[in-house]
Amino acid sequence: MKKHLLFAALAWLGAATLTASAQTARKHELPKLPYTLDALAPKMSRETLEYHYGKHYKAYIDNLNALIPGTPYAGLSLEEIVVKAPDGPIFNNAGQSLNHQLFFLGMSPEPQTQPGGALAAAIDRTFGSFEQFKAQFAKAATGVFGSGWAWLATDKAGNLSIKTEANAGNPLRSSLIPLLGLDVWEHSYYLDYRNRRAEYITNYWDLVDWKVIDERYDRR
Ligand code: MN
């Protein structure tokens, strides 16, 4: 009898432990967009948003949620996973989840069209002018071979730099803070621009909301 009670207690403890670890696994969510799926058209069409936001981005988050339970990454934020995970499926899906969050939440149908405040001054100081920054950034983004990202990044002190990354790369991997990330994977532009990446990049400037990018710089 006593033995049975002991087994019952152990079974209950085991179940309770499993429940506790399941609760500490963070569920990453697809963020709601602050605009409708057709709001960025014609520069970024509804169909592109349906696939890019609704399928590609969602798949990265779903994959991540399936991969992390029972790993050291279960309770971590996207940023923490991107810094800590070795190259591999968990890093790839966390990186892409974070990259797409920065990309989609950094655009608006009614954007602030230029940087302001401290970021505007830093861009002028670093690149000469906003126009020169855009030209250098576009050249970097155009030159990414295959799938990847172009980034405007900063360090803690506020020093800016343009970086390019392959695949799911993010400046956090080299201790920099991402401010602006442009997706140059073909899935981001092929429906609207076919192979014309340069035209996609030119039109992207009309969608960037510098109010959001200013805030990221001020929060760094
Ligand atoms: Mn993408």
Side-chain angles (χ1 to χ4, degrees):
M1 189 67 180
K2 270 189 175 170
K3 211 171 180 184
H4 282 122
L5 277 174
L6 180 62
F7 280 124
L10 285 174
W12 180 84
L13 271 175
T17 309
L18 278 176
T19 309
S21 67
Q23 281 167 350
T24 55
R26 184 186 294 227
K27 185 156 188 304
H28 298 276
E29 305 273 358
L30 183 69
K32 290 236 179 307
L33 293 178
Y35 45 82
T36 60
L37 290 182
D38 55 5
L40 305 180
K43 298 191 167 166
M44 213 175 272
S45 68
R46 166 185 275 276
E47 192 183 14
T48 287
L49 271 281
E50 283 171 353
Y51 276 83
H52 195 191
Y53 167 79
K55 295 187 190 293
H56 289 278
Y57 180 11
K58 183 174 184 299
Y60 295 127
I61 292 174
D62 291 345
N63 291 341
L64 183 66
N65 284 328
L67 286 165
I68 55 176
T71 75
Y73 309 102
L76 303 185
S77 69
L78 285 180
E79 288 84 353
E80 288 169 327
I81 300 173
V82 166
V83 168
K84 292 179 179 173
D87 289 343
I90 289 181
F91 167 70
N92 286 339
N93 286 285
Q96 285 294 73
S97 295
L98 179 61
N99 295 351
H100 285 82
Q101 177 188 311
L102 292 163
F103 176 67
F104 281 113
L105 299 184
M107 294 187 289
S108 166
E110 291 176 333
Q112 176 186 307
T113 56
Q114 294 198 8
L119 180 57
I123 284 177
D124 286 347
R125 196 165 60 240
T126 310
F127 304 105
S129 68
F130 181 48
E131 287 308 313
Q132 287 181 66
F133 156 72
K134 287 203 291 186
Q136 286 184 42
F137 186 95
K139 189 175 175 202
T142 307
V144 172
F145 185 76
S147 297
W149 294 78
W151 294 98
L152 173 63
T154 183
D155 65 12
K156 280 272 177 203
N159 299 302
L160 299 175
S161 52
I162 293 169
K163 300 287 176 194
T164 58
E165 297 277 352
N167 301 318
N170 183 294
L172 283 174
R173 297 286 263 185
S174 31
S175 304
L176 294 172
I177 300 155
L179 299 174
L180 172 79
L182 173 57
D183 191 343
V184 292
W185 285 56
E186 279 189 348
H187 70 218
S188 65
Y189 61 86
Y190 209 82
L191 289 172
D192 294 329
Y193 299 95
R194 299 304 175 192
N195 63 333
R196 303 186 306 279
R197 186 192 282 185
E199 193 181 327
Y200 158 72
I201 294 168
T202 300
N203 284 340
Y204 170 69
W205 295 124
D206 295 332
L207 303 174
V208 176
D209 189 357
W210 286 95
K211 181 170 183 288
V212 175
I213 315 303
D214 284 352
E215 287 164 3
R216 289 175 186 163
Y217 186 68
D218 293 341
R219 262 201 320 270
R220 71 183 180 272

